[in-house]
Each structure stands twice: as structure tokens, then as C-alpha cells.
Amino acid sequence: MSNFLDFEKPILELENKIKELEEFSRAKDVNLDDEIETLRKKSESMKNEIYSSLGPWEKVKLARHKDRPNTLEYISNIFLDFMEFHGDRQFADDKSIVGGIAMLDGEPLTVIGHQKGRDTSENISRNFGMPHPEGYRKALRLMKQAEKFGRPVVTFIDTPGAFCGLGAEERGQGEAIALNLLEMSRLSVPTIAIVIGEGGSGGALALGVGDKIAMLEHSVYSVISPEGLASILWKDSKKAQSASEVMKLTSENLKELKIIDDIIGEPLGGAHKDVCEMSRNIKSYIVESLGILRAKSIDELKAERYTKIRNMGYFEEK
């Protein structure tokens, strides 16, 4: 029950009613199949109605859902023989970014992504998915290694933002992010970036430059969190819902603005409802995209990537 979001409560109440009828039917040996089937159809209709009309704030909540699949779960479901690499060869190993080599349909790829935890202790270990500079430098080391050996790069984005502590700033957080943007923009191998949950600020963007950029249907991607924007505009983080309404942070908004290329559909209710189906959807997208990108020359990849970046967003003059 605790894993249901507030807008999902009508669904929860109906599903609890179905369970009560099923238990009563078994206990009293009464045939209630017709009544139960009617309620199931009503539940399915309610789910379709609710999840097809989610607002930005509801999508933020789904993107942050505690059961939402993380990078390592997708890696284990999509790829084979994942070999994780550690460390940036300068300071330390940042556990909030994971990366290494994996096999997809018999071909090697480099896979990198933000990693959140499932419980408090793991979240502390992973720094709640907020990387330090050494995390981004580890990611860049793996990307350059991939370029050396001609391996495509796939990144999974899921972070509230880069860690903004004193130590991170002392070790060059801004420079590390900026260098990733520069180097990713000119990689000579196909690059695919996928937002799987939260795409927060430069911390997300540092893994977000690619030939193909996609978002899961209920993920979000923005320059700041709704709470952060509300604190700046209204000096009140509790107005986060109002902030989310104007931020254009949903996958539909960002596809319209040409920030992303594609939206990957999620199972009804969100990615956490069926991790296997979600993984199949992502795998299909990666395989299809790599088929297109591998047919292009290095010069074509770089030229099209440059054009994509230059054409992002739009403005109106009045």
C-alpha cells in the first residue's frame, strides 16, 4: 500500500475490493465471477484513464517512484556478460555512476548510467544517484575506451543532479561535467542516451549527449528540480507542483522542443509494474537505433550530432 502514489488511490481501493470479493467467494463457496469480472474491467478502464492523462507533477512522482527500475536492473535484463569497471584513475570510484562492457546480440557495447539505491543504506552508498566529479571522469574514461575499440556507447540517465558538496566543487565538478559534454559531442562511435527516471540538471546532461536521445514515457528531464524552481521563484519548495506545470519537463514536452528524439512507452502504471516488458522495449529501441547509426560514417555521425545540438529548442519573437 505504501508504494501507491496519491493519484493511484482510487485504483488501490478498487483492487482491494476485488480481493475482498475473491476471498469471500472462496470462503463462502459463493460464485461471484460476474461481479469480480465487472470490477476488473472497471479497474482496467480506470487505469487507462488515469495513466493516459497524467500531469507533470504526477510524472515527477512516477519518475521518482521507489520501485522504479534502475540502471543495474536494466543492464541485467537487457545485456549479457556485463563487466563493471571502477575508478577514474585520478581520485576514487564513484558508486553513483556504474559502467562497463556488456554484450547485446553478440556485439560488445559500453554501458554507463547513474545508479540509485533501493534502501537507505544503499542510497547512502550510492549518494542517492548524485555523482561526484570522479563519477563523470570514470564515465568519460569508459567512453574514450569505447571509442578506442569501436564500441557503441549507451547511457542511462537517472539522477536528481550532480552532487554539490564542497569536496565535489574542490575537485572540479563543473569542469568534469563540461568536459563530458565536449567529449561526448565529438565521439567517433554511435552514442545513445536514455532518461529512465529523473534527468536533473547538468548532472544528467553530462551523460546526455548522443546521436539518439530518448526518454521513457513517464520520466522527466529538466535544468532544475520543481522544488528548486519553487524555492527560487516563490521562496517556497512546497509549491513544487505549480513549478512543474510551467517547466516543460515531460517526455512529450521535450520531444516537441526537439531536446529528445524519441519516447519509449512504459507498461500501464509505469516501468516498475513490469520490468521485463520495459526492458524489452528499451532493448528494441537500442537495437533499432544502433542498426541505423552503424550504417553511417564517422563524419556523418559527427555532423548530424552537431546539427542536432544546434537545433535543440526554439523561441518566439513577439
Side-chain angles (χ1 to χ4, degrees):
M1 185 177 297
S2 61
N3 291 347
F4 274 78
L5 301 172
D6 51 2
F7 63 86
E8 296 177 307
K9 286 180 181 177
I11 300 171
L12 175 62
E13 292 170 0
L14 195 53
E15 290 186 348
N16 285 338
K17 182 65 176 177
I18 292 171
K19 289 179 183 177
E20 288 174 9
L21 286 179
E22 289 174 336
E23 290 171 1
F24 182 84
S25 177
R26 286 192 296 269
K28 302 297 183 180
D29 195 22
V30 177
N31 189 338
L32 298 174
D33 289 350
D34 290 342
E35 291 82 353
I36 292 170
E37 183 61 23
T38 298
L39 288 180
R40 282 179 177 155
K41 289 179 179 178
K42 184 178 179 181
S43 174
E44 195 68 17
S45 175
M46 184 183 292
K47 288 177 183 177
N48 281 306
E49 182 179 349
I50 288 175
Y51 293 118
S52 65
S53 58
L54 294 176
W57 185 238
E58 286 75 27
K59 294 211 169 192
V60 169
K61 290 184 175 182
L62 269 181
R64 295 172 174 173
H65 198 288
K66 66 184 295 292
D67 293 333
R68 196 167 178 87
N70 56 42
T71 292
L72 286 176
E73 287 179 85
Y74 284 131
I75 288 175
S76 66
N77 277 281
I78 296 170
F79 305 97
L80 295 175
D81 302 325
F82 176 62
M83 180 185 295
E84 185 177 355
F85 292 159
H86 299 273
D88 67 340
R89 301 297 186 265
Q90 295 185 47
F91 183 76
D93 181 45
D94 187 347
K95 293 183 179 179
S96 60
I97 285 186
V98 296
I101 301 173
M103 302 296 289
L104 180 67
D105 294 343
E107 297 291 336
L109 289 82
T110 290
V111 187
I112 304 165
H114 300 97
Q115 180 64 27
K116 295 178 179 179
R118 276 279 173 240
D119 52 35
T120 302
S121 61
E122 190 181 358
N123 263 319
I124 291 172
S125 172
R126 302 283 185 184
N127 201 38
F128 295 86
M130 296 185 292
H132 294 78
E134 48 270 22
Y136 295 115
R137 291 180 177 127
K138 173 171 67 173
L140 181 57
R141 179 174 74 84
L142 296 180
M143 291 178 204
K144 299 303 288 184
Q145 180 194 77
E147 184 176 45
K148 178 180 179 180
F149 293 101
R151 292 191 299 265
V153 174
V154 175
T155 66
F156 293 118
I157 297 167
D158 185 19
T159 180
F163 187 62
C164 58
L166 179 60
E169 295 302 324
E170 288 175 340
R171 297 193 298 278
Q173 185 72 287
E175 185 270 347
I177 292 173
L179 187 59
N180 274 29
L181 298 179
L182 174 64
E183 294 294 341
M184 286 191 80
S185 69
R186 58 190 188 190
L187 284 175
S188 59
V189 291
T191 308
I192 299 171
I194 303 173
V195 183
I196 59 173
E198 285 184 276
S201 192
L205 196 59
L207 297 185
V209 180
D211 301 297
K212 286 282 190 177
I213 306 171
M215 291 176 65
L216 301 197
E217 181 182 358
H218 301 312
S219 61
V220 294
Y221 198 11
S222 61
V223 71
I224 192 172
S225 69
E227 292 85 355
L229 181 62
S231 296
I232 293 171
L233 290 182
W234 302 297
K235 311 300 181 186
D236 185 0
S237 62
K238 293 180 181 178
K239 293 184 177 181
Q241 180 171 352
S242 297
S244 70
E245 300 291 337
V246 298
M247 289 176 68
K248 304 293 184 183
L249 45 63
T250 68
S251 57
E252 293 85 357
N253 295 148
L254 292 162
K255 191 171 190 303
E256 182 180 348
L257 290 168
K258 299 181 181 179
I259 303 297
I260 67 168
D261 300 297
D262 301 293
I263 299 171
I264 303 174
E266 297 190 24
L268 188 63
H272 58 288
K273 295 295 186 180
D274 193 335
V275 181
C276 290
E277 180 185 342
M278 189 69 257
S279 298
R280 286 193 297 269
N281 292 349
I282 294 174
K283 181 178 179 179
S284 296
Y285 179 79
I286 294 172
V287 170
E288 181 180 349
S289 298
L290 285 178
I292 295 170
L293 297 174
R294 280 180 168 139
K296 301 178 186 293
S297 69
I298 293 174
D299 289 339
E300 285 177 314
L301 281 177
K302 290 184 177 181
E304 290 180 10
R305 196 183 300 150
Y306 175 82
T307 302
K308 174 204 293 290
I309 294 169
R310 295 291 294 175
N311 289 337
M312 283 182 174
Y314 67 87
F315 65 91
E316 294 179 355
E317 291 185 359
K318 293 186 179 180

